[in-house]
Amino acid sequence: MTDSFHFNVIGTVESPYKEKFAIPRQPGIVTAAQGQIRLTGSANNADLVRGLSQFSHIWLIFVFHGTQAQGWKPLVRPPRLGGNKKLGVLATRSTFRPNPIGMSVVKLDRIELQKTEHQGSQVILHISEFDLLNGTPIVDIKPYVPYADIIADAQGGYAHQQPTSNIQIIFTALALTVIEKHSASTPKLRQLIKQVLSQDPRPAYKQKQTDNKVYGMSLYEFNIQWQFDDSDTIKVISVEASNS
Ligand code: SAM
């Protein structure tokens, strides 16, 4: 019996989330982000996805490549518990795990076979409702099968329900002007900013507190600055396209 295995990456994620900060903590929460998985190497073959488009959702098994180098510890502090209680890493969805493997159910919007130069083709899975950093390496994809994967009476422990939020998001006129200017290329940008911020992306120990700090986050090619106006209102101060 071998005690280690080697897996090849079969695809790479293109995501609007270019840094860890502000990525939703689970899939299914933010619906306005659009991403792609481009199959790579010998997995970039239309045969691998034959029949997959019948499924609305897929399981992604992936590597937490952005945090892998930081290693892991047996105990972690889940943000869901305010970041001040330690639980065993295997009782959490922490990215810092003995093997840096993540799994997410995401929406499969469509599959594209893109013609490339030299008569080749690129398999692209268009996805939404994901919680993945740009560049995430995918090691497996499986169809989501409701009869087997939904467990209606399952107990969700300390994370039984999706966190609720009553945070309102407001925009300055300046921010709205930039969003409007880019509405043809990024039509859901305003909705995406609202969905991401209403989850309060700040570290767990700051949640439910008012602070005056101006935060920055990046979505697609936009740098976005925002600040709490009061305890339940976030103001989007500016949106700047990094390539303009
Ligand atoms: N749904 C997956 C799971 O349960 O295995 C991931 C849950 S994990 C709590 C979600 C967080 O992982 C995101 O909010 C983001 O901060 C982080 N993340 C996503 N992709 C990552 C990557 N490739 N490397 C490191 N961290 C990543």
Side-chain angles (χ1 to χ4, degrees), residues 200-212:
D200 192 350
R202 296 176 302 167
Y205 70 93
K206 286 207 167 175
Q207 306 253 321
K208 310 225 187 299
Q209 287 178 24
T210 311
D211 70 54
N212 295 325

PDB file of all heavy atoms in Angstrom, residues 200-212:
ATOM      1  N   ASP A 200     -19.905  40.762   4.239  1.00  0.00           N
ATOM      2  CA  ASP A 200     -18.887  41.354   5.116  1.00  0.00           C
ATOM      3  C   ASP A 200     -17.571  40.572   5.024  1.00  0.00           C
ATOM      4  O   ASP A 200     -17.299  39.669   5.828  1.00  0.00           O
ATOM      5  CB  ASP A 200     -19.358  41.429   6.566  1.00  0.00           C
ATOM      6  CG  ASP A 200     -18.410  42.310   7.397  1.00  0.00           C
ATOM      7  OD1 ASP A 200     -17.321  42.676   6.899  1.00  0.00           O
ATOM      8  OD2 ASP A 200     -18.761  42.615   8.552  1.00  0.00           O
ATOM      9  N   PRO A 201     -16.740  40.894   4.034  1.00  0.00           N
ATOM     10  CA  PRO A 201     -15.518  40.111   3.816  1.00  0.00           C
ATOM     11  C   PRO A 201     -14.407  40.345   4.830  1.00  0.00           C
ATOM     12  O   PRO A 201     -13.364  39.708   4.743  1.00  0.00           O
ATOM     13  CB  PRO A 201     -15.072  40.546   2.425  1.00  0.00           C
ATOM     14  CG  PRO A 201     -15.707  41.843   2.160  1.00  0.00           C
ATOM     15  CD  PRO A 201     -16.925  41.961   3.032  1.00  0.00           C
ATOM     16  N   ARG A 202     -14.630  41.214   5.805  1.00  0.00           N
ATOM     17  CA  ARG A 202     -13.560  41.493   6.774  1.00  0.00           C
ATOM     18  C   ARG A 202     -13.230  40.248   7.593  1.00  0.00           C
ATOM     19  O   ARG A 202     -14.046  39.325   7.696  1.00  0.00           O
ATOM     20  CB  ARG A 202     -13.999  42.616   7.725  1.00  0.00           C
ATOM     21  CG  ARG A 202     -14.219  43.941   7.017  1.00  0.00           C
ATOM     22  CD  ARG A 202     -14.749  44.974   7.985  1.00  0.00           C
ATOM     23  NE  ARG A 202     -16.000  44.553   8.613  1.00  0.00           N
ATOM     24  CZ  ARG A 202     -16.552  45.140   9.659  1.00  0.00           C
ATOM     25  NH1 ARG A 202     -15.986  46.200  10.211  1.00  0.00           N
ATOM     26  NH2 ARG A 202     -17.690  44.690  10.164  1.00  0.00           N
ATOM     27  N   PRO A 203     -12.044  40.221   8.223  1.00  0.00           N
ATOM     28  CA  PRO A 203     -11.702  39.083   9.068  1.00  0.00           C
ATOM     29  C   PRO A 203     -12.759  38.859  10.156  1.00  0.00           C
ATOM     30  O   PRO A 203     -13.431  39.807  10.568  1.00  0.00           O
ATOM     31  CB  PRO A 203     -10.370  39.482   9.700  1.00  0.00           C
ATOM     32  CG  PRO A 203      -9.870  40.638   8.908  1.00  0.00           C
ATOM     33  CD  PRO A 203     -11.015  41.259   8.203  1.00  0.00           C
ATOM     34  N   ALA A 204     -12.868  37.610  10.600  1.00  0.00           N
ATOM     35  CA  ALA A 204     -13.942  37.229  11.529  1.00  0.00           C
ATOM     36  C   ALA A 204     -13.982  38.114  12.773  1.00  0.00           C
ATOM     37  O   ALA A 204     -15.059  38.490  13.239  1.00  0.00           O
ATOM     38  CB  ALA A 204     -13.754  35.775  11.928  1.00  0.00           C
ATOM     39  N   TYR A 205     -12.806  38.494  13.297  1.00  0.00           N
ATOM     40  CA  TYR A 205     -12.814  39.237  14.557  1.00  0.00           C
ATOM     41  C   TYR A 205     -13.385  40.648  14.395  1.00  0.00           C
ATOM     42  O   TYR A 205     -13.714  41.303  15.377  1.00  0.00           O
ATOM     43  CB  TYR A 205     -11.412  39.278  15.185  1.00  0.00           C
ATOM     44  CG  TYR A 205     -10.410  40.134  14.436  1.00  0.00           C
ATOM     45  CD1 TYR A 205     -10.217  41.468  14.794  1.00  0.00           C
ATOM     46  CD2 TYR A 205      -9.661  39.615  13.382  1.00  0.00           C
ATOM     47  CE1 TYR A 205      -9.309  42.260  14.104  1.00  0.00           C
ATOM     48  CE2 TYR A 205      -8.763  40.402  12.695  1.00  0.00           C
ATOM     49  CZ  TYR A 205      -8.587  41.713  13.058  1.00  0.00           C
ATOM     50  OH  TYR A 205      -7.705  42.495  12.360  1.00  0.00           O
ATOM     51  N   LYS A 206     -13.504  41.105  13.143  1.00  0.00           N
ATOM     52  CA  LYS A 206     -14.056  42.456  12.915  1.00  0.00           C
ATOM     53  C   LYS A 206     -15.542  42.430  12.573  1.00  0.00           C
ATOM     54  O   LYS A 206     -16.178  43.487  12.473  1.00  0.00           O
ATOM     55  CB  LYS A 206     -13.323  43.126  11.754  1.00  0.00           C
ATOM     56  CG  LYS A 206     -11.939  43.576  12.111  1.00  0.00           C
ATOM     57  CD  LYS A 206     -11.535  44.738  11.255  1.00  0.00           C
ATOM     58  CE  LYS A 206     -10.301  45.397  11.821  1.00  0.00           C
ATOM     59  NZ  LYS A 206      -9.795  46.446  10.972  1.00  0.00           N
ATOM     60  N   GLN A 207     -16.085  41.242  12.344  1.00  0.00           N
ATOM     61  CA  GLN A 207     -17.470  41.153  11.893  1.00  0.00           C
ATOM     62  C   GLN A 207     -18.397  41.746  12.944  1.00  0.00           C
ATOM     63  O   GLN A 207     -18.158  41.644  14.127  1.00  0.00           O
ATOM     64  CB  GLN A 207     -17.842  39.692  11.652  1.00  0.00           C
ATOM     65  CG  GLN A 207     -16.876  39.002  10.714  1.00  0.00           C
ATOM     66  CD  GLN A 207     -17.443  38.749   9.349  1.00  0.00           C
ATOM     67  OE1 GLN A 207     -18.587  38.402   9.223  1.00  0.00           O
ATOM     68  NE2 GLN A 207     -16.632  38.898   8.328  1.00  0.00           N
ATOM     69  N   LYS A 208     -19.465  42.352  12.453  1.00  0.00           N
ATOM     70  CA  LYS A 208     -20.489  42.989  13.286  1.00  0.00           C
ATOM     71  C   LYS A 208     -19.942  44.191  14.061  1.00  0.00           C
ATOM     72  O   LYS A 208     -20.506  44.627  15.045  1.00  0.00           O
ATOM     73  CB  LYS A 208     -21.160  41.983  14.242  1.00  0.00           C
ATOM     74  CG  LYS A 208     -21.638  40.712  13.565  1.00  0.00           C
ATOM     75  CD  LYS A 208     -23.028  40.318  14.001  1.00  0.00           C
ATOM     76  CE  LYS A 208     -23.481  38.973  13.479  1.00  0.00           C
ATOM     77  NZ  LYS A 208     -23.565  38.780  12.080  1.00  0.00           N
ATOM     78  N   GLN A 209     -18.801  44.713  13.634  1.00  0.00           N
ATOM     79  CA  GLN A 209     -18.268  45.940  14.237  1.00  0.00           C
ATOM     80  C   GLN A 209     -18.235  47.039  13.181  1.00  0.00           C
ATOM     81  O   GLN A 209     -18.082  46.751  12.008  1.00  0.00           O
ATOM     82  CB  GLN A 209     -16.814  45.739  14.671  1.00  0.00           C
ATOM     83  CG  GLN A 209     -16.618  44.885  15.879  1.00  0.00           C
ATOM     84  CD  GLN A 209     -15.127  44.728  16.167  1.00  0.00           C
ATOM     85  OE1 GLN A 209     -14.312  45.559  15.774  1.00  0.00           O
ATOM     86  NE2 GLN A 209     -14.794  43.644  16.824  1.00  0.00           N
ATOM     87  N   THR A 210     -18.323  48.275  13.647  1.00  0.00           N
ATOM     88  CA  THR A 210     -18.136  49.382  12.710  1.00  0.00           C
ATOM     89  C   THR A 210     -16.667  49.768  12.776  1.00  0.00           C
ATOM     90  O   THR A 210     -16.103  49.827  13.864  1.00  0.00           O
ATOM     91  CB  THR A 210     -18.970  50.604  13.145  1.00  0.00           C
ATOM     92  OG1 THR A 210     -20.289  50.150  13.400  1.00  0.00           O
ATOM     93  CG2 THR A 210     -19.000  51.665  12.077  1.00  0.00           C
ATOM     94  N   ASP A 211     -16.033  49.984  11.658  1.00  0.00           N
ATOM     95  CA  ASP A 211     -14.687  50.562  11.696  1.00  0.00           C
ATOM     96  C   ASP A 211     -14.571  51.562  10.551  1.00  0.00           C
ATOM     97  O   ASP A 211     -15.373  51.534   9.619  1.00  0.00           O
ATOM     98  CB  ASP A 211     -13.595  49.475  11.684  1.00  0.00           C
ATOM     99  CG  ASP A 211     -13.484  48.745  10.365  1.00  0.00           C
ATOM    100  OD1 ASP A 211     -13.332  49.400   9.327  1.00  0.00           O
ATOM    101  OD2 ASP A 211     -13.531  47.498  10.367  1.00  0.00           O
ATOM    102  N   ASN A 212     -13.602  52.434  10.656  1.00  0.00           N
ATOM    103  CA  ASN A 212     -13.507  53.527   9.676  1.00  0.00           C
ATOM    104  C   ASN A 212     -12.536  53.252   8.553  1.00  0.00           C
ATOM    105  O   ASN A 212     -12.313  54.105   7.698  1.00  0.00           O
ATOM    106  CB  ASN A 212     -13.057  54.818  10.380  1.00  0.00           C
ATOM    107  CG  ASN A 212     -14.105  55.275  11.359  1.00  0.00           C
ATOM    108  OD1 ASN A 212     -15.289  55.104  11.094  1.00  0.00           O
ATOM    109  ND2 ASN A 212     -13.681  55.823  12.487  1.00  0.00           N
TER     110      ASN A 212
END
